[in-house]
Amino acid sequence: LTEEMIKTASGRKFAGWGTSLAWWANVIGRWRDEDKKQAICDLIFSLPKGLGLTIVRYNFGAGEPGKEPANFRVGANIECYGQGPAKWDMGRDGGQRWILQEAIKRGANQTEAFFNSPPLWLLACPSTAGADYGQNNLLPEQETAFAEYVTDLLNRFAAAYQIRFHSLSLFNEPSSMWWQSDNDQEGCHYSVAQQERLLCLMQQKIKEGGLYPLTLSGPEGWSVFESISMYNDLSEAARAALGRISTHTYLADDRARKALCRLAQKEKKPLWMSEVCLAQEGAQDPAAMASGLRIAKAIMADFAYLRPEAWVYWQAVENKNLNHNYGFIQAGYDEKEEYHITKSFYVFGQFTRFIRPGMLLPEHLPENGIIAYDPVENKAVCVLLNETAAEKSCCIESGQDIVQAAAVITSEGKDMQPYSVDKNEREVRLILPAQSILTVEIFWTKEQA
């Protein structure tokens, strides 16, 4: 923790951690048990009880109430506020909207609207899951109508609920070919040419429709490779319309992460990791460390090489009846309204509770570690990962006299518990147990700031 390392952090301000709403919020927001709904929102959005997420991505759906396609997973039919051209029902999607409002009450202060599919009446194939053979499903002659629909919808939503979104993503993994009518969720393929036209149209509607300074975000590729390719293929006008580059990281390597980071720097645009979900395959075991370690490793790689300003997980709550290991909370998407916290919740909390919005990130990070600096409190946060089967010795050296050091650990059998470290004047020594994640806060005097 040298003075030079702290100085290099001055230009990289962290925007926050987040989650998309969509399916889980659609289900949980409709639960009858008010206390359980509030408790889940506390766990996701509050501090010190929960993860303290401050970014929420709200999914404007394309579905019809009571007409969920038979092939859709539970919760995936998100109700559309539009009932047809110039027909509206702003009372729809009450479950997801309730979660959005509760998140904002708890401190979520960055909201993004995103669309998985245009409304049904604008589509070529009568399916919000996609067109046959994974081709464009938005009719070319309806592109202007879609941009006008989005503009009208966002203004109506603001008038009805006093929520104005900070950013807008028109596409979700638009180059993917799996958006077909037999898929189990809403989705839509867009060719690059159609993306170009829509981005330029939407930029114009934002200015004309009173939505400015709404930021357009994209291209939202499923992989870092696809996001790089799509962005580079866009016209100059379409690239200019994007105020932020956002990518999913379901497929990424360090070389691709570095390439997208350089691209965002060259284009002088903020970069977000806007979606991923990770878990260990195999038997359902919510107490095992394996899924949390996968998430932690991905975060470390993203912070080291992609260097996003924000990091957003897909579904914070997952359907436990699917017998998998995804989610920070697993809930029964059924009438029982039961839920439990997973080990991944505590692993993610080792990051989210301590590296907070506004903290500064150094240009260079150590292997298997993240450092963030809080200039107001004059403290550093170090998150250290040991995914191996053997314990490791660790020494954190400081360029300033250390006043206090405190640590918490998550490992097999421990969930964000206090952990003892040895501190002297300018270093902290500790043992990092096997398959564990440790967060250390190092405080200096305010006079040293």
Side-chain angles (χ1 to χ4, degrees):
L1 292 175
T2 64
E3 186 176 355
E4 289 75 22
M5 181 178 289
I6 297 303
K7 284 180 178 178
T8 64
S10 60
R12 290 190 63 201
K13 185 177 288 188
F14 185 57
W17 308 93
T19 184
S20 294
L21 301 184
W23 311 335
W24 76 264
N26 184 29
V27 174
I28 304 302
R30 298 173 190 273
W31 277 10
R32 298 178 303 276
D33 193 318
E34 185 73 17
D35 290 340
K36 289 182 179 179
K37 287 162 55 175
Q38 294 286 351
I40 288 176
C41 286
D42 283 341
L43 287 168
I44 300 302
F45 301 109
S46 294
L47 285 177
K49 300 177 185 178
L51 298 173
L53 305 188
T54 59
I55 298 172
V56 285
R57 302 183 74 232
Y58 180 86
N59 178 212
F60 280 103
E64 286 293 312
K67 297 181 180 179
E68 183 159 341
N71 49 298
F72 269 27
R73 66 178 71 200
V74 178
N77 187 53
I78 307 296
E79 294 176 359
C80 183
Y81 288 98
Q83 298 176 283
K87 296 180 181 180
W88 298 91
D89 182 352
M90 297 307 296
R92 290 182 172 184
D93 195 28
Q96 186 188 192
R97 189 178 63 251
W98 186 89
I99 298 289
L100 173 65
Q101 292 168 319
E102 292 299 312
I104 292 171
K105 288 179 186 178
R106 288 164 171 78
N109 56 13
Q110 295 187 71
T111 54
E112 177 165 86
F114 76 99
F115 291 77
N116 287 333
S117 170
L120 193 63
W121 68 87
L122 301 178
L123 302 178
C125 177
S127 169
T128 59
D132 293 335
Y133 310 110
Q135 300 302 308
N136 289 0
N137 201 19
L138 176 63
L139 291 164
E141 61 268 26
Q142 298 287 11
E143 290 169 0
T144 299
F146 181 41
E148 291 173 344
Y149 166 79
V150 172
T151 304
D152 199 359
L153 173 58
L154 294 183
N155 279 321
R156 288 175 180 272
F157 195 88
Y161 303 109
Q162 294 73 56
I163 298 173
R164 283 202 171 272
F165 292 92
H166 300 90
S167 57
L168 165 66
S169 180
L170 286 175
F171 318 124
N172 177 59
E173 301 170 1
S175 65
S176 298
M177 301 296 292
W178 49 64
W179 302 126
Q180 302 182 34
S181 58
D182 60 353
N183 207 327
D184 62 357
Q185 64 187 82
E186 291 182 353
C188 187
H189 176 88
Y190 299 89
S191 66
V192 170
Q194 190 168 54
Q195 291 178 50
E196 289 176 346
R197 295 192 297 271
L198 285 169
L199 288 171
C200 293
L201 277 169
M202 199 66 239
Q203 183 189 42
Q204 178 183 348
K205 297 301 179 184
I206 287 172
K207 294 176 180 177
E208 294 174 351
L211 295 176
Y212 185 81
L214 183 72
T215 297
L216 269 177
S217 179
E220 303 284 359
W222 178 79
S223 72
V224 176
F225 307 95
E226 289 171 320
S227 291
I228 293 171
S229 177
M230 279 189 290
Y231 187 88
N232 285 332
D233 286 344
L234 290 173
S235 66
E236 184 177 345
R239 291 198 301 269
L242 284 174
R244 183 173 69 227
I245 296 175
S246 294
T247 187
H248 304 180
T249 54
Y250 291 102
L251 183 63
D253 61 21
D254 295 344
R255 183 176 179 180
R257 289 181 172 100
K258 290 178 183 177
L260 186 53
C261 176
R262 288 193 298 268
L263 178 61
Q265 290 173 337
K266 172 177 165 289
E267 296 289 297
K268 295 182 172 57
K269 296 182 188 291
L271 173 60
W272 279 25
M273 199 301 292
S274 57
E275 183 185 313
V276 76
C277 61
L278 297 164
Q280 183 66 25
E281 300 300 327
Q284 190 174 37
D285 186 356
M289 276 293 291
S291 294
L293 291 175
R294 282 197 67 190
I295 293 169
K297 188 175 180 180
I299 292 172
M300 297 287 185
D302 285 344
F303 271 61
Y305 304 113
L306 187 65
R307 296 167 57 193
E309 292 187 7
W311 203 92
V312 183
Y313 196 79
W314 170 225
Q315 296 287 274
V317 183
E318 282 277 4
N319 186 354
K320 73 181 181 68
N321 298 331
L322 297 179
N323 295 315
H324 55 50
N325 291 301
Y326 291 93
F328 307 125
I329 296 171
Q330 292 189 336
Y333 286 14
D334 52 35
E335 68 281 355
K336 294 180 181 179
E337 298 187 359
E338 297 174 344
Y339 71 92
H340 59 252
I341 296 171
T342 70
K343 180 67 80 169
S344 295
F345 173 92
Y346 299 104
V347 172
F348 198 40
Q350 296 274 161
F351 298 93
T352 66
R353 290 187 185 180
F354 299 95
I355 300 177
R356 300 301 299 162
M359 284 190 174
L360 306 177
L361 302 172
E363 291 298 309
H364 304 290
L365 293 170
E367 185 179 357
N368 287 334
I370 294 176
I371 296 169
Y373 175 61
D374 184 341
V376 177
E377 296 296 326
N378 195 29
K379 72 173 182 179
V381 173
C382 305
V383 185
L384 306 172
L385 172 65
N386 180 9
E387 59 179 317
T388 72
E391 67 178 30
K392 292 184 177 182
S393 299
C394 181
C395 178
I396 303 172
E397 297 179 349
S398 170
Q400 305 175 31
D401 292 345
I402 300 170
V403 174
Q404 181 185 355
V408 296
I409 191 171
T410 294
S411 61
E412 207 73 48
K414 290 185 172 63
D415 298 328
M416 295 195 74
Q417 294 182 7
Y419 189 75
S420 178
V421 297
D422 294 326
K423 177 193 78 68
N424 60 34
E425 194 173 77
R426 291 207 170 190
E427 68 179 20
V428 175
R429 293 185 176 273
L430 55 92
I431 300 296
L432 198 56
Q435 296 191 323
S436 68
I437 182 167
L438 183 76
T439 304
V440 186
E441 291 184 289
I442 295 175
F443 297 84
W444 301 293
T445 62
K446 293 294 180 67
E447 289 75 17
Q448 292 178 314

